[in-house]
Amino acid sequence: MPKKLPPKDSLDAKQNIFEATEYCFNLYGIQKTTLSDIAKRAGTSRVNLYRMFKDRQALIDAVILRNIERYWNEIADELSELDDLGDWLVEGILLYQERFAMDDLVRLYRHINGFAEGFRVATTPAGYNCVSRHFEHLYQRAYEEKRIDQVLSIEDIVDWVHRTNLSLVQFPSGRLKKRAKLRAWISAQIKTGLVSG
């Protein structure tokens, strides 16, 4: 039975709350942003926020998760033709670095020192799923063909992807500025460490 979708206006209300939350993050930082701040900016009440999110942390996690989901949905759309796990991972990290590493939301998290909070959410089961569901079929095939170490779970690979992206965003290297150099660096790690050819 198909999952019932929430009414459109509840989706719009959530989007409004998410945008208000990010606006407040920019003004006050993650730690100092209160539910009252968010409710005021969103034009709603704290009671309404509690109807949608069990607490402040659940709202913050949902905002961060929405962005992770958006990034990886866009990446997966572009990589839908790739049928090799190693190639998918290389191109996925390259696209993330080229398209999202300097977008407004990543700059916001840099400005508010929010990378630790973002990484915490990225390494939850929901954060892993945002990435893994896009290449699970490729992982399964590589695993069955023994082209991947049998002790590596799909979560281990997604964890590596998140850590690599965070490292590249937070500590950019002048040596890896050119696309060809970055591709070679990522490819060497993936194709000699994670997935064999």
Side-chain angles (χ1 to χ4, degrees):
M1 185 166 167
K3 189 175 172 182
K4 187 176 177 184
L5 294 174
K8 184 178 180 339
D9 46 337
S10 77
L11 291 175
D12 291 342
K14 269 192 175 177
Q15 288 301 102
N16 185 43
I17 289 166
F18 290 159
E19 289 170 17
T21 302
E22 288 170 342
Y23 178 87
C24 291
F25 284 176
N26 192 38
L27 285 180
Y28 313 117
I30 291 177
Q31 298 309 319
K32 292 184 181 177
T33 293
T34 67
L35 286 177
S36 295
D37 297 328
I38 296 166
K40 183 176 179 182
R41 178 69 189 175
T44 190
S45 68
R46 285 182 55 194
V47 171
N48 274 344
L49 292 181
Y50 278 116
R51 284 188 187 130
M52 289 187 239
F53 306 96
K54 72 177 185 173
D55 57 25
R56 177 184 172 279
Q57 192 62 56
L59 171 56
I60 290 170
D61 290 0
V63 168
I64 294 169
L65 197 58
R66 173 190 72 148
N67 296 323
I68 295 168
E69 183 81 29
R70 179 178 62 87
Y71 295 148
W72 287 100
N73 283 345
E74 286 185 36
I75 288 169
D77 284 348
E78 288 207 29
L79 303 182
S80 63
E81 301 298 315
L82 293 180
D83 63 355
D84 177 76
L85 177 61
D87 292 340
W88 198 99
L89 294 171
V90 170
E91 296 306 318
I93 293 171
L94 275 172
L95 281 172
Y96 183 91
Q97 292 302 314
E98 291 171 350
R99 189 167 302 154
F100 303 116
M102 293 308 296
D103 84 353
D104 289 341
L105 288 171
V106 173
R107 278 192 288 239
L108 168 64
Y109 281 86
R110 179 178 286 118
H111 169 72
I112 62 174
N113 294 318
F115 284 131
E117 193 72 15
F119 185 72
R120 183 192 56 75
V121 174
T123 55
T124 63
Y128 289 141
N129 187 52
C130 286
V131 183
S132 67
R133 66 186 176 82
H134 296 297
F135 68 80
E136 191 170 17
H137 62 292
L138 300 175
Y139 168 84
Q140 194 60 41
R141 189 170 71 219
Y143 187 87
E144 288 167 3
E145 294 171 356
K146 298 195 183 330
R147 293 187 307 110
I148 192 163
D149 191 316
Q150 301 296 291
V151 298
L152 284 178
S153 69
I154 196 165
E155 290 82 10
D156 293 330
I157 292 173
V158 175
D159 188 84
W160 182 87
V161 167
H162 284 316
R163 288 176 190 281
T164 300
N165 274 329
L166 177 64
S167 172
L168 290 168
V169 168
Q170 204 166 6
F171 307 104
S173 167
R175 292 181 36 250
L176 301 176
K177 276 197 182 261
K178 292 189 177 174
R179 188 174 211 271
K181 184 75 172 175
L182 181 57
R183 172 183 267 121
W185 183 81
I186 295 167
S187 186
Q189 293 180 57
I190 290 172
K191 297 199 174 179
T192 61
L194 290 177
V195 183
S196 63

